[in-house]
Amino acid sequence: GSVPSRTDSGPVYNVPQALLCVELAKQAVAQGYGRIGIISAYRAQVNLMKKIVDDTFSESDAKKILPDTVHKF
C-alpha cells in the first residue's frame, strides 16, 4: 500500500491516493457526470487534490471536481 506523508506542520496527506481519486473523478466527468465530490477527512489531503485538479484540468473541468472535507459536504 501507499505510505501517508506529512507536511512540515504535521497534517497527513497521501499522494498516490490523491492521484487515484482525481483520476477516478476525471473518468466520471468524461462519462458525463456533471459534478463529482471527493471527500477526505484531512484538510492537507483536500489541498493536495485541489492542487492536482487545478494543475491538470481546464478551468471549466476543474469546477466539476470538488475535493473537500466531510464537514463541507
Side-chain angles (χ1 to χ4, degrees):
S2 57
V3 178
S5 300
R6 291 190 178 272
T7 62
D8 291 339
S9 60
V12 175
Y13 65 97
N14 185 310
V15 174
Q17 183 184 58
L19 291 168
L20 176 62
C21 289
V22 173
E23 178 59 31
L24 292 172
K26 175 184 171 184
Q27 290 176 19
V29 168
Q31 292 178 9
Y33 287 88
R35 294 177 74 184
I36 303 297
I38 305 173
I39 301 172
S40 175
Y42 300 103
R43 173 58 50 197
Q45 186 75 3
V46 168
N47 293 340
L48 176 59
M49 288 187 287
K50 285 181 176 182
K51 174 122 180 71
I52 294 167
V53 168
D54 289 344
D55 290 350
T56 306
F57 297 96
S58 67
E59 188 175 334
S60 62
D61 282 345
K63 290 180 181 179
K64 297 176 185 177
I65 300 174
L66 310 166
D68 222 320
T69 62
V70 65
H71 304 293
K72 297 290 181 172
F73 286 98

